[in-house]
Structures are given as C-alpha cells and as structure tokens.
C-alpha cells in the first residue's frame, strides 16, 4: 500500500513539474525560463541518480543502438528530402555558435534529465497501466494547454492540433517509453538526443505543413 501511494505521488510530482515547465514558467520568466526548467529537471535527475542502485545493461545493447541510429539517419534523410521537394524555411531558433551551445546545454540537457527519469520509472516493477500513465505524463512535455484551448474555437485548428501536436506527442512518448523498457537509458537517450538536437543545429528546416509534419513525426 505504501509503495502504491509513493508511486502515485511520484507520478503527480512529475506531471505537475511537466505542466509548469511547459505552460507556466515560460510565461512568468520568458527571458530565463530555459535555465529555470533545466535546473528543476537537473535537481530531479540528481535526486534519482544518487539513490540509484547499480543496473545491468540490457542484452545486445550495442546492436540495438546501432539499429536505432540507422533508423534515425534514414528518418532525417527522408525529412530533408521532403524539404528539397516542398521547400525550406529558416530555423526559428538562433543558430550562431553561442546560441546553439546554450540551447544544447539547457534544452537538450533538460530532455536528458527528463528521459532519465522516464527510464527509472519504466524499469520499476510496473503494471501495464503504469506504462500508460508514464507515457501520458511525459507526453505533456510537448503539449501546451494554451494552444489546446485556442484550438477549440475553430474546427480546422482543433483538427490540426489533435493530429499535428497531440497525437504526435503521444506517439513519440510511446516510442521513448518502449525504448526505455527494452534498452534502458542508453537506447532511450540515443533516440531523444538525435531527434531533438537537429532543430537546434540546422540553419534551415523543411517547410512542412501541419499534415506532412504529423506524418513525419
């Protein structure tokens, strides 16, 4: 009973932290929110890391990482090939060296901490329902409550939000939860880092409409 209560409390803390990180802190502290968000998740990472017992790497981990890396490379080949056909747009993120380093350290660093926490939760003794809950909780890291509310006012915007943002976030979270289960932190972080880092280092990105973006993700 105590373990179940503890688990629910952990889920609640991470869910609240996710919502604050995406929907509240950026609005209250628009200039320094990335530092604050990184700091919050890094504290959680340290807390779990210091309490972690030594774990054994999953079987065939190197082969799994190689296969996953090849899939990610193929994904980006197709992604930028679509850009050649449809067109490119300037990266909305600054791509000078200093800005890239800051984004990689803070944004990708926060993502690493988040995925490490996911791995620790996934590799506990869980019921099937726990995996669903974990997947939904971490999907909120890619969801904006404000955008969801605004989308309700228009049918087209609502469909775009559901298909282009909500389903994409859930799907991506499902993949990361699965990778965390079968490959631990190494496999999960390989996918997470390679997926998110390109948007910070590429000067241009394919100019995809919402439908193509949804299919791409």
């Amino acid at each position: 009973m105590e373990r179940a209560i503890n688990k629910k409390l952990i889920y609640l803390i991470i869910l609240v932290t996710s919502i604050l990180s995406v929907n509240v802190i950026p609005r209250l502290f628009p200039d320094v929110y990335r530092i604050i968000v990184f700091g919050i998740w890094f504290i959680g990472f340290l807390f779990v890391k210091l309490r972690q017992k030594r774990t054994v790497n999953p079987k065939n981990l190197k082969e799994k990482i190689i296969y996953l890396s090849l899939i990610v490379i193929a994904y980006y080949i197709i992604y930028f090939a679509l850009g050649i056909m449809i067109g490119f747009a300037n990266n909305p993120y600054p791509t000078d060296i200093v800005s890239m380093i800051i984004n990689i350290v803070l944004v990708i660093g926060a993502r690493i901490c988040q995925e490490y926490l996911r791995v620790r939760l996934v590799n506990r003794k869980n019921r099937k329902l726990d995996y669903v809950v974990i997947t939904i909780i971490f999907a909120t890291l890619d969801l904006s409550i404000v955008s969801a509310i605004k989308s309700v006012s228009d049918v087209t915007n609502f469909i775009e939000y559901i298909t282009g943002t909500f389903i994409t976030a859930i799907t991506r979270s499902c993949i990361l939860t699965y990778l965390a289960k079968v490959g631990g932190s190494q496999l999960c972080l390989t996918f997470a880092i390679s997926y998110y880092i390109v948007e910070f280092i590429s000067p241009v990105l394919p100019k995809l409409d919402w439908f193509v973006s949804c299919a791409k993700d």
Side-chain angles (χ1 to χ4, degrees):
M1 182 66 177
E2 183 179 350
R3 181 176 295 180
I5 295 175
N6 183 45
K7 183 184 294 184
K8 291 179 181 178
L9 180 60
I10 292 173
Y11 290 163
L12 179 61
I13 291 174
I14 294 180
L15 176 60
V16 171
T17 305
S18 300
I19 293 174
L20 291 175
S21 298
V22 176
N23 297 279
V24 179
I25 295 176
R27 297 182 178 277
L28 294 178
F29 310 97
D31 297 327
V32 294
Y33 76 91
R34 290 178 182 172
I35 298 175
I36 298 174
V37 170
F38 170 76
I40 291 173
W41 288 104
F42 186 67
I43 290 172
F45 164 79
L46 286 180
F47 179 78
V48 173
K49 184 68 174 177
L50 293 174
R51 292 167 56 91
Q52 177 191 357
K53 297 179 181 179
R54 184 170 180 174
T55 57
V56 179
N57 288 334
K59 294 181 179 180
N60 304 319
L61 179 60
K62 290 184 178 179
E63 290 83 353
K64 291 177 181 178
I65 292 177
I66 292 173
Y67 292 148
L68 180 61
S69 299
L70 292 174
I71 291 173
V72 172
I73 291 172
Y75 163 83
Y76 276 113
I77 290 175
I78 296 173
Y79 178 47
F80 282 96
L82 287 173
I84 295 174
M85 295 184 290
I86 300 174
F88 289 93
N90 291 330
N91 193 329
Y93 295 101
T95 53
D96 59 279
I97 297 298
V98 174
S99 297
M100 282 195 297
I101 293 175
I102 292 174
N103 284 330
I104 289 172
V105 171
L106 296 181
V107 181
I108 301 299
R111 179 65 64 171
I112 290 173
C113 295
Q114 292 158 4
E115 296 308 327
Y116 187 85
L117 292 174
R118 185 203 301 261
V119 171
R120 299 278 69 81
L121 289 177
V122 165
N123 285 286
R124 297 174 60 170
K125 293 181 179 180
N126 293 317
R127 301 169 299 166
K128 291 182 180 179
L129 179 60
D130 289 311
Y131 296 117
V132 174
V133 172
I134 292 169
T135 298
I136 293 174
I137 288 175
F138 282 92
T140 60
L141 291 167
D142 295 315
L143 298 174
S144 167
I145 294 176
V146 174
S147 298
I149 294 174
K150 288 182 178 179
S151 70
V152 177
S153 61
D154 181 79
V155 175
T156 301
N157 290 337
F158 181 70
I159 294 174
E160 289 183 11
Y161 181 82
I162 292 297
T163 56
T165 302
F166 182 79
I167 293 178
T168 295
I170 293 295
T171 302
R172 186 160 49 237
S173 189
C174 285
I175 293 172
L176 286 164
T177 298
Y178 172 76
L179 293 176
K181 182 62 179 177
V182 301
S185 58
Q186 294 92 332
L187 200 60
C188 183
L189 292 177
T190 297
F191 177 83
I193 293 173
S194 59
Y195 183 91
Y196 289 101
I197 199 170
V198 170
E199 65 183 82
F200 295 115
I201 65 175
S202 177
V204 294
L205 296 171
K207 190 177 181 180
L208 308 180
D209 60 26
W210 69 271
F211 181 79
V212 178
S213 295
C214 178
K216 180 267 296 183
D217 291 332

